Amino acid sequence: MNSAPPLQHTIMAQCPLCARTDAATYAAFPVMTWVRCRCGLIYMRSAADYGVAIAAAGAPNLHYSRRLRRRISKSRHQILDALNHTRPGALLDIGCALGYTLQAARELGLDASGVEIDEAAVEFCRAQGFDVQVGTLSHLPFEADRFQIITMKHVLEHTPDPRQALAEVRRILKPGGALFIAVPHAGYRRAVRDPQHAKFYQPTPTGAEGGHYIYYTPATLTQLLASCGFEVVRVHPHLVHRSAPAPLRLLQYLLAPLRWAAQQVLSALALRKEFWLVAVRRVEMPQTESS
Ligand SMILES: [Zn+2]
């Protein structure tokens, strides 16, 4: 081991949300430095080489596959959340991994496609008959206005250039189409209490938490999406899905008060390790945007 601290180079010189440059150190390690901007965004300001060229997803493995059925069920609820805000149509899952969202979409009768950076995962999905391409956030290999629904689960925190990624997402989403995003919650109690020792920010051989660059809260992500031509219409899971079959919808109505109370407790105690939201693509970009 070299005893000299590794040279860190700049990942984000300014806040990708508000462009301020005076963010305060939040968690600092020999190989990476996290900062928190006054706007609330937490991002990686600098890192040594080892943590930079990190891909989003790891190779598929059996441990992951065992949880597939539970992940498909969760994905179904997430797609139904999006369908509360847009009509049914072609769905794209960005970072589709082993295809659990594609499977859920298929079971809901939607035409589903996926994009994935990991070629082994792409092969795995294709072997199950899914339409999956190799792609990255900087280039999504689809024509403009192609999709009605786009899902991005634990993807956006993997890019240091979320504006570029969201511009690319916006290009291929129809006006009025719904974008579903799930990301880690920067306000998660354990991460806020002691950032220096929180798992969110710890360096690992694949970066922090497998290559994270930015940690969002519902407020900072809503602000970012607004400036990129999206309107956030829902944060956290819906209690009732209008596209669900009638018996399930009745059950959802009955359970709604209980689930609402549970959501209040999760929020009040900052127990959400992740959050999700639905945004709708606006027809026009905001006029006040300065770049
Ligand atoms: Zn900021």
Side-chain angles (χ1 to χ4, degrees):
M1 277 293 232
N2 193 339
S3 59
L7 184 66
Q8 293 190 25
H9 55 88
T10 301
I11 305 286
M12 283 169 269
Q14 60 178 43
C15 174
L17 178 55
C18 74
R20 284 191 187 100
T21 55
D22 60 349
T25 301
Y26 195 62
F29 306 94
V31 292
M32 62 179 63
T33 305
W34 293 91
V35 293
R36 186 180 188 281
C37 181
R38 277 188 287 156
C39 74
L41 198 75
I42 296 164
Y43 61 95
M44 188 189 286
R45 183 161 59 198
S46 58
D49 274 336
Y50 100 106
V52 176
I54 299 302
N61 62 61
L62 285 172
H63 176 64
Y64 203 38
S65 304
R66 273 208 306 275
R67 296 185 306 207
L68 202 59
R69 200 58 237 175
R70 192 157 49 84
R71 286 168 179 272
I72 292 168
S73 169
K74 185 175 180 180
S75 293
R76 185 185 309 115
H77 286 95
Q78 294 173 325
I79 295 168
L80 288 169
D81 270 8
L83 284 172
N84 271 21
H85 301 281
T86 196
R87 58 186 172 78
L91 178 146
L92 175 68
D93 186 34
I94 299 174
C96 66
L98 300 189
Y100 40 86
T101 301
L102 302 179
Q103 179 63 33
R106 184 188 267 173
E107 290 171 10
L108 287 167
L110 302 175
D111 171 25
S113 307
V115 164
E116 171 56 52
I117 198 168
D118 184 88
E119 290 186 27
V122 170
E123 287 310 313
F124 184 93
C125 288
R126 284 180 176 166
Q128 296 171 88
F130 292 120
D131 169 32
V132 175
Q133 322 255 353
V134 178
T136 66
L137 282 174
S138 54
H139 175 67
L140 296 167
F142 303 99
E143 73 270 27
D145 297 354
R146 162 82 191 275
F147 297 101
Q148 189 69 35
I149 303 165
I150 296 181
T151 53
M152 290 173 76
K153 301 193 297 188
H154 292 268
V155 168
L156 199 61
E157 70 272 25
H158 288 270
T159 175
D161 193 356
R163 287 181 185 278
Q164 190 279 335
L166 289 170
E168 184 66 349
V169 168
R170 189 175 187 278
R171 181 182 68 79
I172 61 172
L173 184 62
K174 291 180 200 290
L179 170 61
F180 178 97
I181 297 181
V183 287
H185 197 320
Y188 178 50
R189 186 187 194 92
R190 288 173 70 171
V192 170
R193 199 165 45 193
D194 185 3
Q196 187 66 36
H197 296 97
K199 204 170 163 238
F200 277 10
Y201 307 109
Q202 293 291 316
T204 75
T206 52
E209 291 260 77
H212 293 180
Y213 289 102
I214 299 179
Y215 283 90
Y216 300 93
T217 60
T220 54
L221 184 53
T222 296
Q223 203 184 328
L224 177 69
L225 285 162
S227 68
C228 292
F230 295 92
E231 182 187 357
V232 173
V233 288
R234 176 74 189 189
V235 182
H236 304 317
H238 274 281
L239 300 173
V240 175
H241 292 129
R242 68 177 198 202
S243 304
L248 175 59
R249 211 162 60 236
L250 177 63
L251 185 65
Q252 288 181 330
Y253 274 114
L254 292 172
L255 291 175
L258 210 61
R259 290 183 59 216
W260 179 85
Q263 288 200 15
Q264 300 309 303
V265 170
L266 287 177
S267 291
L269 299 180
L271 294 175
R272 293 179 203 273
K273 200 174 176 182
E274 65 166 0
F275 69 93
W276 69 56
L277 57 73
V278 180
V280 169
R281 187 196 146 173
R282 288 208 205 101
V283 176
E284 304 291 342
M285 282 294 284
Q287 294 300 310
T288 52
E289 175 61 16
S290 59
S291 58

